[in-house]
C-alpha cells in the first residue's frame, strides 16, 4: 500500500484528509503544531489499522522540513503522496499589515511546499511515481480585500503547482492544487469571531453576509468532499491530470 505525508494533518482539512487516506489503507505521516499530535496519530492508526507517525516539524523552518521528509521516508519506507496543506491566515488592510505576518504566511503557505516538494522529488523521480497535492484555496484564483499575504501565497502555490507538473511529467509525478472555498475548520472559526468583532455583527450574520457572500451555494465546503478529490488525485486513474488548479468552492470562482 502507498504512503502519504500530510503537512498540517492534525487539524481541519488536513485531519479530514488523513482520515480518508487512512481509511483507504494508506500509511501516513501527519505533521502539525497541535500539542496532541501523537495522540491524533495513534488514534488514526488504531481506527484504521495502518501505520501513522506524527511530525511536529515547524513549516517556518526549512531545516526542520527537510528532516521531516527524511524521517517520513525512513518511517514509511518511501513517500508516494505529498499533501501540502499547512496554512495560516491574517486579515488586515495593507497599510496595517504586520511585516512579520506577511513573512510567516509566505513561509508556511508557500515556501514550505517548495521545501517539501524538493525533498521528496528525487525519490519520486527514481521510483517513477509521485503525487503532489497542494491544498490551495479559492484565493489562488480570486482575491479578497485585507488578505494580501494569503492571496499572494495562494496565487504563488498555483504557479508552483504548474511548474512541478511540467518538471514531473516525464517521471509520472503529478502535481495539482485543490482550491476550496470556505470550509468550517478551526482556521475559519477564528476568522468568524474576528470578523464579528470587526463588523459589529453576530457570528451568524458574518457567515451569511461576509463569508458565504461570494459562495453561491450558500454552504461551507465539506472536508469529506475535498478528501475524496485528493484521493482521486493520488490514484493511478489521475495519471493524466496534472498542473490543474481545481476549484471546489460552491461556485465562487464561476463569477
Ligand atoms: P487549520 O487551522 O484547521 O489547520 C492548519 C494546520 O496547519 C494545523 O494542523 C496547524 O498546526 C498547521 N500549521 C500551521 N502553521 C504551521 C507551522 N508553522 N508548522 C507546521 N504546521 C503548521 O486550518 P484549515 O482550514 O484546515 O486549513 C488547511 C489548509 O486549507 C490551509 O492551507 C488553508 O489555507 C487551506 N484552506 C482552508 C480553507 C477554509 O475555509 N478552512 C479554505 C481554502 C483553503
Amino acid at each position: 500500500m502507498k504512503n502519504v505525508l500530510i503537512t498540517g494533518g492534525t487539524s481541519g482539512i488536513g485531519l479530514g484528509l488523513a482520515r480518508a487516506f487512512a481509511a483507504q489503507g494508506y500509511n501516513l505521516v501527519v505533521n502539525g503544531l497541535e500539542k496532541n499530535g501523537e495522540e491524533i496519530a495513534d488514534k488514526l492508526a488504531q481506527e484504521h489499522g495502518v501505520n501513522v507517525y506524527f511530525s511536529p516539524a515547524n513549516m517556518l523552518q526549512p531545516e526542520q522540513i527537510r528532516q521531516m521528509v527524511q524521517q517520513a521516508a525512513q518511517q514509511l519506507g518511501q513517500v508516494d503522496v505529498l499533501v501540502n496543506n499547512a496554512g495560516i491566515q491574517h486579515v488586515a488592510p495593507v497599510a496595517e499589515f504586520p511585516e512579520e505576518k506577511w513573512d510567516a504566511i509566505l513561509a508556511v503557505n508557500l515556501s514550505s511546499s517548495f521545501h517539501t516538494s524538493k525533498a521528496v522529488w528525487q525519490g519520486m523521480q527514481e521510483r517513477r511515481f509521485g503525487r503532489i497535492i497542494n491544498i490551495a484555496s479559492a484565493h489562488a484564483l480570486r482575491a479578497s480585500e485585507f488578505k494580501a499575504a494569503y492571496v499572494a501565497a495562494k496565487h504563488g502555490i498555483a504557479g508552483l503547482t504548474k511548474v512541478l507538473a511540467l518538471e514531473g511529467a516525464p517521471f509520472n509525478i503529478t502535481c495539482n492544487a485543490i482550491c476550496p472555498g470556505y470550509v468550517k475548520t478551526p482556521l475559519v472559526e477564528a476568522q468568524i469571531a474576528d470578523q464579528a468583532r470587526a463588523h459589529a455583527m453576530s457570528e451568524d450574520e458574518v457567515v451569511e453576509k461576509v463569508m458565504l457572500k461570494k459562495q453561491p451555494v450558500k454552504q461551507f465546503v465539506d472536508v469529506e468532499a475535498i478528501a475524496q478529490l485528493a484521493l482521486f488525485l493520488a490514484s493511478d486513474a489521475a495519471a493524466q491530470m496534472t498542473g490543474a488548479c481545481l476549484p471546489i468552492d460552491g461556485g465562487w470562482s464561476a463569477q
Side-chain angles (χ1 to χ4, degrees), residues 180-184 215 219-226 248-250:
Y182 280 107
V183 188
K184 206 164 183 195
Q215 223 157 283
Q219 290 163 1
F220 286 104
V221 176
D222 287 335
V223 171
E224 184 52 27
I226 298 170
I248 174 163
D249 63 3

Side-chain angles (χ1 to χ4, degrees), residues 7-14 31-34 56-60 84-88 108-109 135-138 150 154 178-188 220:
T7 70
T10 44
S11 174
I13 295 172
N31 150 265
L33 298 182
E34 281 63 35
N58 191 327
M59 294 301 104
L60 288 166
N84 291 310
N85 164 78
I88 51 174
V108 176
N109 296 15
I135 305 303
S137 167
Y150 189 85
K154 294 296 185 183
I178 297 179
C179 302
Y182 280 107
V183 188
K184 206 164 183 195
T185 65
L187 182 142
V188 162
F220 286 104

